[in-house]
Amino acid sequence: AEAGRAQREGRLALGTLDSWLIWRLSPRRPFITDASTASRTLLYDLREGGWSDTAAGLMKVRLGDLARIVPSCGSLATLADARWGRRTLDLRASLVDQPASLFAHGCWDPGQTKITYGTGCFMLMNSGQAIPPQDTALLCSVAWQCGQTRTLMCDAGVYAAGSLIGWLERS
């Protein structure tokens, strides 16, 4: 009920954790999210490079309530906090977890792949600017966007890999 009232009054803001942190830490209160994070919401259109009217309609989300999508790198916002005194920080990059991991592991070229093993097991592959065929069983999303250039990735995950090892140990 409260969300509906906020939406009717134009006060509703639907964002991700990065949107909230940037909004809270920036004196100018920009309501933004980077392309990698936006593409993980299932509301992002890989072909168009922005929020999907169709997906938003299916989920009954107004596009105007969503954060503005910005590149993953560049001058994104100026951050400040009273506890820092007069110091400010220029936010120069923002990436969601799996794409950040792909980048940090140096998978910068198409075809480069990495596997992360922990509670889950995730295989990520840099697919460059090519949108993989729709019949793939992989989750495809934006890895990062610098300027107007988007780098895409494919992701396959096993979410209970850690539990499987525990089960094998007990068997």
Side-chain angles (χ1 to χ4, degrees):
E2 182 62 30
R5 186 171 26 262
Q7 186 179 46
R8 286 188 299 279
E9 295 171 2
R11 298 182 296 111
L12 186 63
L14 301 173
T16 53
L17 181 58
D18 68 320
S19 302
W20 184 80
L21 287 171
I22 294 167
W23 183 82
R24 289 286 295 167
L25 290 173
S26 179
R28 294 186 180 187
R29 297 286 193 244
F31 186 48
I32 60 174
T33 188
D34 88 290
S36 75
T37 307
S39 73
R40 300 299 273 194
T41 65
L42 301 180
L43 291 170
Y44 185 89
D45 184 327
L46 276 180
R47 297 198 189 300
E48 297 297 321
W51 296 123
S52 165
D53 289 324
T54 303
L58 289 170
M59 295 186 194
K60 297 182 177 22
V61 171
R62 286 193 333 203
L63 293 179
D65 296 335
L66 296 169
R68 182 172 55 90
I69 300 171
V70 298
S72 306
C73 57
S75 185
L76 304 179
T78 299
L79 308 180
D81 187 280
R83 294 169 287 191
W84 305 344
R86 295 177 148 216
R87 291 188 5 211
T88 61
L89 297 172
D90 189 23
L91 180 63
R92 302 289 299 170
S94 179
L95 288 169
V96 74
D97 58 310
Q98 292 295 333
S101 177
L102 185 69
F103 187 88
H105 280 92
C107 297
W108 304 320
D109 297 317
Q112 291 183 319
T113 304
K114 72 162 218 72
I115 295 176
T116 303
Y117 183 80
T119 305
C121 180
F122 302 94
M123 185 273 319
L124 300 166
M125 181 185 76
N126 180 327
S127 63
Q129 295 178 5
I131 297 175
Q134 289 184 326
D135 62 351
T136 181
L138 302 174
L139 173 63
C140 300
S141 58
V142 176
W144 50 81
Q145 179 179 333
C146 294
Q148 296 301 311
T149 304
R150 290 181 310 148
T151 298
L152 304 178
M153 67 175 211
C154 293
D155 177 355
V158 177
Y159 295 91
S163 300
L164 174 63
I165 298 301
W167 177 81
L168 289 171
E169 287 177 342
R170 290 187 299 276
S171 296

